Amino acid sequence: MDAMLVRERYKVVRVTDSRENYAFAEAVDILDREMRGCLLNLYEGALLRQYLPCFDRLKGCGAFQNVFLDGESLVAVFYDCGGVPIDHIFYQGDSHGWQDRLYYAGQLFQQVLNLTDLPSEVACALLLSDNVRIDQKNQKLSLRFHLVPLEGMNPREVVYLAGDQARKILHPRFSSPREELDFLEELEQGGCANAVQLYALWRTREAEIREAYETLQKKNFVRRWCSLLIGRIKRRIARGKER
């Protein structure tokens, strides 16, 4: 059976998502010297009319390659970012050091900030767990453009999804200083209304968290353990007073 070609350029390798008025396929750009992997998002019917204006706002996106009409379908093409889903790297019980955690958290929040000008349904789709990809070899966190249709999204939903992914990277551990636990609690409380506020919060808290870790690192094992325990006791007392 002959391989399916879209626009005589994109050779479809596999279709991994197919539903009413939408399909998602992995492909190869046969006109590209490097034969780079591509992602095709195809919209039809009501979704075509809904998503057509979205891609005008993606012209400055590095992953965006092309958008065109093919028969009754709107086809949006993006380069594949590689990597594996975040859930394969950060999970309860993993053993990443705090420096790596802060590094990838910073990359995540930068990616979220880059979504500011995108429609909320696009930004939210990019922050679904399967689309938050980590390439450990190149130490890079990227967002994969599998733009599954979503409805009823708004800037606050973008913040909630970003917070969910951040908590996977910075999930509470005994080695977490009080400053990191307080930041995670702020994320859970949902005080940020949009991605810009979320990024500003991270930039403020990141310096405090880093300083706390560096201070702990200078202590020996016993003093570090005592500092962490005392920090938790003080935090619990403070939370009790707030109630």
Side-chain angles (χ1 to χ4, degrees), residues 20 27 47 51 53-54 64 81 83 87 89 120 123 178 203 242:
E20 184 178 6
L47 289 178
Y51 277 83
C54 295
F64 180 70
C81 63
D87 291 350
I89 305 297
S120 295
R178 179 178 176 180
R203 287 302 302 267
E242 290 174 0

Side-chain angles (χ1 to χ4, degrees), residues 50-66:
Q50 177 185 341
Y51 277 83
L52 183 58
C54 295
F55 299 109
D56 288 336
R57 298 162 67 176
L58 283 167
K59 297 299 172 73
C61 171
F64 180 70
Q65 184 180 5
N66 201 357

Side-chain angles (χ1 to χ4, degrees), residues 20-21 33 62 101 107 113 202 212 232:
E20 184 178 6
N21 291 330
R33 287 185 178 181
R101 292 183 185 278
Q107 287 212 343
L113 182 65
W202 163 250
R232 275 160 174 70

Side-chain angles (χ1 to χ4, degrees), residues 82-91 128-135 142 144 165 168:
V84 298
I86 187 172
D87 291 350
H88 293 192
I89 305 297
F90 291 102
Y91 49 88
L128 297 176
S129 294
D130 191 57
N131 283 337
V132 181
R133 297 285 175 127
I134 294 179
D135 180 349
S142 305
R144 190 173 190 247
Q165 302 304 343
K168 293 175 183 177

Side-chain angles (χ1 to χ4, degrees), residues 86 90 97-115 127 132-134 139-143 162 165-170 180 183-184 187 195 198-207 209-210:
I86 187 172
F90 291 102
W98 65 266
Q99 295 97 331
D100 286 343
R101 292 183 185 278
L102 294 187
Y103 172 77
Y104 282 112
Q107 287 212 343
L108 173 67
F109 288 115
Q110 181 63 58
Q111 290 284 357
V112 175
L113 182 65
N114 294 342
L115 304 178
L127 289 171
V132 181
R133 297 285 175 127
I134 294 179
Q139 295 187 307
K140 185 177 180 181
L141 184 149
S142 305
L143 302 180
Q165 302 304 343
R167 281 190 288 272
K168 293 175 183 177
I169 300 173
L170 303 173
E180 185 174 82
F183 173 66
L184 292 173
L187 291 183
L198 180 64
Y199 185 74
L201 175 66
W202 163 250
R203 287 302 302 267
T204 301
R205 297 292 182 263
E206 189 269 346
I209 296 169
R210 183 175 298 277

Side-chain angles (χ1 to χ4, degrees), residues 88-240:
H88 293 192
I89 305 297
F90 291 102
Y91 49 88
Q92 188 170 1
D94 59 34
S95 57
H96 298 283
W98 65 266
Q99 295 97 331
D100 286 343
R101 292 183 185 278
L102 294 187
Y103 172 77
Y104 282 112
Q107 287 212 343
L108 173 67
F109 288 115
Q110 181 63 58
Q111 290 284 357
V112 175
L113 182 65
N114 294 342
L115 304 178
T116 303
D117 294 329
L118 300 185
S120 295
E121 60 265 36
V122 171
C124 286
L126 289 170
L127 289 171
L128 297 176
S129 294
D130 191 57
N131 283 337
V132 181
R133 297 285 175 127
I134 294 179
D135 180 349
Q136 285 188 291
K137 181 179 179 181
N138 295 307
Q139 295 187 307
K140 185 177 180 181
L141 184 149
S142 305
L143 302 180
R144 190 173 190 247
F145 279 77
H146 178 186
L147 300 180
V148 57
L150 297 174
E151 295 182 2
M153 298 295 105
N154 57 56
R156 194 171 287 277
E157 294 289 345
V158 176
V159 172
Y160 289 149
L161 282 167
D164 287 343
Q165 302 304 343
R167 281 190 288 272
K168 293 175 183 177
I169 300 173
L170 303 173
H171 70 261
R173 310 169 311 283
F174 182 75
S175 59
S176 300
R178 179 178 176 180
E179 290 79 359
E180 185 174 82
L181 297 175
D182 288 344
F183 173 66
L184 292 173
E185 187 169 319
E186 286 183 277
L187 291 183
E188 194 156 350
Q189 290 172 348
C192 298
N194 54 55
V196 174
Q197 291 182 11
L198 180 64
Y199 185 74
L201 175 66
W202 163 250
R203 287 302 302 267
T204 301
R205 297 292 182 263
E206 189 269 346
E208 298 170 358
I209 296 169
R210 183 175 298 277
E211 183 178 355
Y213 269 118
E214 290 174 347
T215 299
L216 283 171
Q217 199 170 34
K218 294 175 183 178
K219 301 178 184 293
N220 62 37
F221 175 79
V222 175
R223 293 181 63 194
R224 188 184 310 137
W225 188 90
C226 290
S227 294
L228 289 167
L229 182 60
I230 292 171
R232 275 160 174 70
I233 293 172
K234 289 182 177 179
R235 186 168 181 269
R236 184 169 296 179
I237 293 172
R239 293 176 69 185

